[in-house]
Amino acid sequence: MNYKVTLAYDGSKFHGWAKQPNVVTVQQTISNALKKILKEEVNIIGAGRTDAYVHAISQVFSLKTKQNLINMNFKKAINDLLPKSIRIKSVKIVNDNFNAQHFALNKTYKYVINTASYDLFNNDYLYNYNKKINVSLLKKASKALLGKHDFLSFSTSELKDTIRIINSISFKKDKNLLIIRINGNGFLRNQVRMIVGSLLDINENKKDKNSLEVLLTNPKKGSCIRKAPGSGLYLEKINY
């Protein structure tokens, strides 16, 4: 049977989602727990990779096994084995052809920025920017990013196809926090963090408000340069 598993994790405890040698990752930690429960090696396919220290409120992976995970109360069993920094939220049986990565229609990331004084105890869960932000200016500048573009300038990806679609960008003030939400059909490596970094450059007058258009029309790998810290980034929702 094929299963769709939804989970959340605290990215500050991991070097990203994907398995890597000699470091602790979310995918490897889950794979280890699955092997103990199922007594077999299973391949888990994540909806997308998150970088080191990036969090997930609603990540998704799919897996296939002959065992009935629903009958064996799999959710409780695996949560008992996993560290408290990872929680399985739901487990559902899906069609055999479902693939968590390829079936995703769009994803929403949110980025959390602290504009007030340094917040020591939440440093792993936001960007301690500690400066005022001209939200109106960033709203106007960000409109250039909407739609279908080559986002190579906002990525360190090795992929050949770097064209993506951004459906919406929103800005919400919550006391001393600025929350930026970006929804798109898919994202390149570091794309959201580099977009946020570029917006903050505009806020600091290091770049012109039209600089985003220049980066889009002249795509060059990582040319926006500035990358906001992973601690402020959350994979918030995936739509199928």
Side-chain angles (χ1 to χ4, degrees), residues 16 21 38 41 77 123 177-178:
L38 303 178
E41 294 279 357
N123 188 53
L177 300 179
L178 175 63

Side-chain angles (χ1 to χ4, degrees), residues 5-61:
V5 182
T6 304
L7 70 153
Y9 50 83
D10 176 349
S12 67
K13 307 297 189 292
F14 302 96
H15 287 264
W17 163 265
K19 291 181 181 180
Q20 301 169 57
N22 305 317
V23 293
V24 179
T25 69
V26 179
Q27 188 181 37
Q28 185 63 64
T29 302
I30 293 170
S31 293
N32 293 343
L34 284 170
K35 189 174 181 179
K36 289 181 180 179
I37 295 171
L38 303 178
K39 311 299 181 185
E40 63 174 312
E41 294 279 357
V42 292
N43 181 39
I44 64 175
I45 301 170
R49 298 185 174 193
T50 52
D51 294 330
Y53 314 117
V54 174
H55 315 287
I57 296 170
S58 191
Q59 170 71 286
V60 175
F61 69 83

